[in-house]
Amino acid sequence: MKLDLSNISALDFEKSELIPAIVQDVQSGQILMQGFCNLAAVQTTLEIGKVTFYSRSKQRLWTKGESSENYLELVSIHTDCDQDSLLILAKPKGPTCHLGTQSCFGDASTDLSFLGTLNSVIAKRKNDDPSESYTASLFAKELSRSCQKVGEEGVEVALAAMKNDNEELLNESADLLYHLLVLLQRQKLDISQVINVLKNRHK
């Protein structure tokens, strides 16, 4: 069930006054951290749009990022079937872990989640020195160059498949995905929007 301020009373705190909450990066799918929430923490999260927990060590509500400013911007909150645990989808603003890593679970991630990670890296590098970053150099050039690269890589993918050269097909497919991510960002679009189109078609 998706939670909002109108239905948070459905949460089951009978077993414990705190329920576990897993935070997942909405774009990459990577699990970022786990914390605990009481009813006030869930309500605050929904009201301010930043993930807030009940800190067992501080004995108070604690908004992730209140010191570091590495906030977790809320996208949505979902309960499990028993309404006694939470899955929070969020957009991280910087590293989540206090050790400086993106996730408190280290490098644990799925293969597909790397696409979201790469998308974030591209966003961070777009304003770098074009002489030192290929990604930045693409953003510094005319839009037509990015369009051309997507077209070229698409043709290369097709040619590799026609030659039955799987190694080349993998490499050219990687090039195509990378340049497509760049082109989408140049148009102020995101891969998640493409995925939403696919989801709607699947329905």
Side-chain angles (χ1 to χ4, degrees):
M1 178 177 70
K2 184 177 179 180
L3 283 181
D4 56 39
L5 289 172
S6 70
N7 64 4
I8 57 174
S9 60
L11 288 172
D12 183 1
F13 289 98
E14 288 189 6
K15 303 182 188 75
S16 172
E17 63 182 16
L18 298 177
I19 60 176
I22 292 288
V23 183
Q24 184 177 25
D25 187 323
V26 70
Q27 292 184 322
S28 72
Q30 186 176 25
I31 300 299
L32 299 175
M33 68 175 293
Q34 184 251 318
F36 293 89
C37 290
N38 59 10
L39 185 59
V42 179
Q43 184 174 3
T44 299
T45 297
L46 289 166
E47 287 175 347
I48 70 173
K50 293 181 174 65
V51 178
T52 301
F53 302 100
Y54 183 83
S55 171
R56 293 172 298 172
S57 59
K58 297 180 176 71
Q59 294 287 295
R60 64 171 177 84
L61 295 186
W62 167 66
T63 299
K64 176 69 183 75
E66 64 184 29
S67 299
S68 65
E69 296 188 356
N70 293 330
Y71 295 106
L72 295 168
E73 293 191 352
L74 177 67
V75 175
S76 59
I77 305 179
H78 305 263
T79 68
D80 69 343
C81 55
D82 294 320
Q83 284 82 49
D84 61 2
S85 62
L86 301 173
L87 176 63
I88 302 176
L89 301 181
K91 293 181 180 179
K93 297 300 177 182
T96 298
C97 184
H98 70 284
L99 297 177
T101 56
Q102 190 68 14
S103 167
C104 292
F105 296 95
D107 57 359
S109 63
T110 63
D111 289 342
L112 287 177
S113 71
F114 179 74
L115 201 59
T117 300
L118 177 59
N119 197 48
S120 297
V121 170
I122 291 171
K124 291 175 183 176
R125 292 185 180 173
K126 65 172 66 174
N127 295 318
D128 287 352
D129 185 346
S131 66
E132 297 181 0
S133 166
Y134 176 70
T135 299
S137 72
L138 288 173
F139 282 97
K141 294 174 182 174
E142 294 293 328
L143 173 63
S144 58
R145 180 54 180 161
S146 289
C147 296
Q148 180 184 3
K149 289 299 296 183
V150 170
E152 289 174 354
E153 300 302 342
V155 171
E156 293 294 336
V157 167
L159 290 175
M162 288 296 294
K163 292 189 296 183
N164 203 29
D165 186 336
N166 286 342
E167 182 177 359
E168 185 176 348
L169 177 57
L170 290 172
N171 282 307
E172 296 299 343
S173 295
D175 289 343
L176 175 58
L177 284 172
Y178 164 78
H179 285 96
L180 178 58
L181 289 175
V182 170
L183 181 59
L184 287 170
Q185 289 203 25
R186 292 198 63 154
Q187 295 299 98
K188 295 180 173 55
L189 298 172
D190 193 88
I191 187 64
S192 61
Q193 293 173 271
V194 177
I195 293 171
N196 283 333
V197 171
L198 291 172
K199 284 181 178 178
N200 289 331
R201 290 179 181 178
H202 181 65
K203 294 176 183 178

